[in-house]
Amino acid sequence: MDRTMEQIISILHQVGTWLYPWLNEIATAIVACTLVVFGADINRFLRRKLASRSFVLRTLAFVLVNAFGYGLLIISVSPILARNMASLPAHWLLFVVIFIFFIIGAWAQGNRQV
């Protein structure tokens, strides 16, 4: 049994090792997917708060939040996430990446976005 477990961990380690060169892209995808899932809620909140304001102010807020806010969030959080994921052992990295995408997908499904 111990030999089988060692083989499984070895395979997981090998597959996880393949992820390291792609951590920046994986982290960007995680942050972007999270923003896609929560973006509708954020925009709905802004729409309610700015409903009585002028068209120009609403448009400016939309551009600032969607173009600059989300963009800034992606480019500032992704490297931090990639750096933290790089510190994980390869076999755990594989599980963490799968788990994060599964949670994002489950959340999107639960909120009827899929």
Side-chain angles (χ1 to χ4, degrees), residues 39-40 42-44 46-47 50 54-71:
I42 294 168
N43 288 341
R44 192 176 310 110
L46 283 174
R47 193 176 315 121
L50 299 173
S54 72
F55 170 78
V56 173
L57 183 64
R58 290 192 319 261
T59 303
L60 180 63
F62 176 82
V63 170
L64 287 174
V65 169
N66 286 277
F68 299 108
Y70 293 162

Side-chain angles (χ1 to χ4, degrees), residues 69-85:
Y70 293 162
L72 180 63
L73 194 62
I74 289 171
I75 64 171
S76 61
V77 172
S78 295
I80 296 168
L81 182 58
R83 196 169 37 251
N84 286 327
M85 289 191 309

